[in-house]
Amino acid sequence: MNDKWNAFVKKMFKVGTPECAITFAVIAMLLALLFLAVGFWRTLLIVLLILVGAFIGGVKDKKEWIRNLVNKLFPPRQNIPYREQNAEIEKAVKEATEDTQNTQE
């Protein structure tokens, strides 16, 4: 029986199977009933608290997970220190002015 249960649970979340369709239909029905019974904002609060509980219980290294999420949402820039950037800009301007002076002569 344990093998049958494991196979059923795997099919519940495999997209395209009838078990998956039934699972998500039941989840959608529960959400709809929550919206009707307690309202939109309270339902969102309940869903948010469930997600926070799942995060606390399911993620082993929370700091690393949050760090990876933030880095995916806002990738770190490769900043050039201002002094080096300023020197590069001055060099490019100097070369550009020399080129224009050479072409005018």
Side-chain angles (χ1 to χ4, degrees):
M1 172 149 169
N2 198 14
D3 293 333
K4 286 184 179 181
W5 178 254
N6 289 339
F8 179 74
V9 170
K10 284 182 182 179
K11 287 182 182 179
M12 282 176 56
F13 297 103
K14 185 175 181 185
V15 178
T17 62
E19 291 87 352
C20 183
I22 292 170
T23 301
F24 283 96
V26 169
I27 291 171
M29 183 183 67
L30 291 174
L31 276 175
L33 289 174
L34 271 174
F35 281 137
L36 292 173
V38 298
F40 179 75
W41 293 109
R42 289 182 182 172
T43 300
L44 284 182
L45 177 65
I46 292 169
V47 170
L48 178 70
L49 292 175
I50 290 171
L51 291 175
V52 167
F55 172 75
I56 290 172
V59 177
K60 191 172 185 178
D61 188 7
K62 292 164 188 56
K63 285 183 182 178
E64 186 66 28
W65 190 88
I66 292 172
R67 185 177 298 122
N68 289 338
L69 177 68
V70 169
N71 284 337
K72 283 182 184 178
L73 294 175
F74 308 104
R77 291 189 288 176
Q78 296 178 351
N79 287 338
I80 300 172
Y82 180 73
R83 290 182 182 149
E84 292 177 19
Q85 184 180 12
N86 196 20
E88 290 176 8
I89 292 171
E90 287 178 4
K91 182 179 176 184
V93 169
K94 188 176 183 181
E95 289 174 357
T97 53
E98 288 174 357
D99 288 343
T100 54
Q101 288 176 355
N102 290 339
T103 55
Q104 288 177 354
E105 293 175 355

